[in-house]
Amino acid sequence: MAGVEVRDLSTVYPNGVRAVDGLSLRIADGEFFALLGPSGCGKTTLLRTIAGLEPATSGQVLIGDTDVTRTEPGKRRVAMVFQDYALFPHMTVTDNVAYPLRVRGVPRAERVATAERTTANLSLAGLSQRRPAQLSGGQQQRVALARAVASGGELLLLDEPLSNLDARLRLEARTFLKRLQRELGLTTIFVTHDQAEALALADRIAVMDAGRIRQLGTPSQVFRRPASTFVANFIGSTPMNLLDGTVADGSVQVAGARLPVPAGLAANGDVVVGVRPEYLTLHPSPPAEPAFEGTVAVVETLGVSSLVTIECAGGATIGATVAEGSEPGVSDKVYATPQPGRLLLYSRDTGELLDPSDG
């Protein structure tokens, strides 16, 4: 297998759009790596540039220790699964899976044996003579994965392969995909706009915007300490609370509350205060510690939890999640306290996280 390194890579289209803008990145051998970001952020262009399907304007792409920047796609030992699976409609499952081996001139008996072995490992053995139109979305996805695995590539590239599946199948496919990647030990780069998929699957995540990486870290690091308000807004199944505040004399005034500044952080003046709904605890009466105070405006059921929207002083609203069965009533007065260490401060000017380690 092989790791991947991208050095100062730029991909610029003829109209001047910089889809990838001077990006550098190293992906370890055997790592499951996610490129996450909104539409148009450059994640798919970066993936296609690594595959050789898009030409790099400048910079380098290395797979293992080999510079493949100008190497043809077919010679990069890369396997790719596309969003629409790109299966040949007139071919059987076996022929679809064996097709990359056919292109390389592998004898028919050998490629059929490889295809049958791979499809059996992916629970497709009974479907080998069916054509794509006779398969469900989940089965088509597994055929596309089987074709990529059977090709013998050193690097697996996945371009939003779960986006065409319904919610239930997507969860099943997520579990299957993570198990498969662990068993194969293949270095895998996964493109998605779905932060839940990235958090669930990846060893590390690169959050992209405008052709650049805005944060690189483990799922836990990106979720718990977003490096900017952009990342904070993008990551999380419920939006992070981002509120204008002012720091003075070791405390921050925000939404009618006066809260202590995070330990070790030297800050003054205008800031953006961030805290996830999951990291707020609701109380029906004033707690001993500093708290947001407000009135419940909306309660939204999420399943095993509910999102409570609270109207605070000055028109500010905050969200807090509570366990199923412990929801307050609409118009109830409540108090919300941030869990220790979970309050974050961002620069009002740059949107960047104010971190004690920076000082």
Side-chain angles (χ1 to χ4, degrees):
M1 305 310 163
V4 178
E5 185 176 0
V6 171
R7 297 176 181 171
D8 198 26
L9 187 73
S10 291
T11 302
V12 184
Y13 292 127
N15 62 2
V17 172
R18 301 184 70 84
V20 178
D21 189 7
L23 189 148
S24 295
L25 175 66
R26 185 188 292 269
I27 299 168
D29 184 6
E31 187 172 20
F32 200 135
F33 192 90
L35 297 173
L36 173 67
S39 297
C41 71
K43 58 188 185 296
T44 294
T45 300
L46 174 58
L47 193 79
R48 290 174 61 85
T49 303
I50 292 171
L53 302 177
E54 297 276 359
T57 305
S58 61
Q60 292 177 287
V61 177
L62 288 85
I63 299 177
D65 297 323
T66 305
D67 186 340
V68 297
T69 312
R70 307 302 169 197
T71 302
E72 295 176 11
K75 297 180 180 179
R76 295 194 184 196
R77 301 290 290 171
V78 165
M80 191 162 180
V81 177
F82 297 90
Q83 182 176 352
D84 61 359
Y85 311 138
L87 301 177
F88 295 106
H90 64 289
M91 291 185 182
T92 64
V93 167
T94 295
D95 289 341
N96 264 288
V97 173
Y99 185 76
L101 303 177
R102 175 183 169 186
V103 171
R104 295 215 304 266
V106 175
R108 176 171 176 76
E110 182 180 342
R111 66 178 186 256
V112 168
T114 300
E116 290 178 347
R117 183 172 61 252
T118 306
T119 53
N121 289 338
L122 297 183
S123 302
L124 292 167
L127 308 175
S128 61
Q129 295 308 305
R130 293 191 186 183
R131 288 176 170 76
Q134 299 170 302
L135 303 175
S136 69
Q139 290 167 340
Q140 289 183 42
Q141 184 236 18
R142 279 185 283 150
V143 173
L145 284 168
R147 181 177 58 190
V149 171
S151 72
E154 298 177 342
L155 176 64
L156 181 59
L157 306 180
L158 307 174
D159 186 9
E160 304 210 41
L162 309 184
S163 62
N164 291 333
L165 304 181
D166 62 36
R168 178 61 180 266
L169 267 179
R170 190 176 301 177
L171 288 174
E172 293 177 359
R174 237 166 49 185
T175 302
F176 163 77
L177 187 57
K178 189 156 190 173
R179 183 184 296 123
L180 177 67
Q181 195 271 341
R182 288 287 179 267
E183 291 173 354
L184 297 175
L186 268 175
T187 306
T188 301
I189 306 176
F190 178 83
V191 160
T192 182
H193 65 275
D194 186 327
Q195 50 85 28
E197 286 180 3
L199 291 171
L201 288 169
D203 297 319
R204 284 191 304 153
I205 298 170
V207 183
M208 293 186 63
D209 177 45
R212 298 183 179 183
I213 293 175
R214 299 305 181 187
Q215 185 169 2
L216 177 63
T218 65
S220 178
Q221 289 168 341
V222 173
F223 182 82
R224 293 187 176 194
R225 294 186 65 80
S228 66
T229 52
F230 169 81
V231 178
N233 269 315
F234 196 76
I235 296 288
S237 56
T238 53
M240 178 182 270
N241 298 297
L242 294 170
L243 307 163
D244 288 342
T246 303
V247 176
D249 301 324
S251 63
V252 56
Q253 182 75 33
V254 54
R258 185 172 290 277
L259 307 176
V261 170
L265 184 62
N268 278 293
D270 294 336
V271 295
V272 175
V273 179
V275 61
R276 290 203 178 279
E278 296 87 349
Y279 297 152
L280 286 171
T281 303
L282 286 193
H283 308 269
S285 57
E289 59 268 45
F292 296 103
E293 177 183 343
T295 303
V296 175
V298 178
V299 177
E300 301 171 63
T301 300
L302 305 178
V304 297
S305 64
S306 293
L307 177 63
V308 179
T309 300
I310 306 162
E311 292 182 346
C312 300
T317 61
I318 64 171
T321 56
V322 298
E324 177 189 12
S326 61
E327 300 89 347
V330 173
S331 300
D332 284 359
K333 192 168 187 177
V334 293
Y335 302 83
T337 56
Q339 295 177 14
R342 299 304 191 192
L343 195 72
L344 303 175
L345 300 187
Y346 295 89
S347 166
R348 185 86 66 87
D349 295 330
T350 66
E352 299 298 312
L353 178 65
L354 301 176
D355 195 324
S357 64
D358 294 338

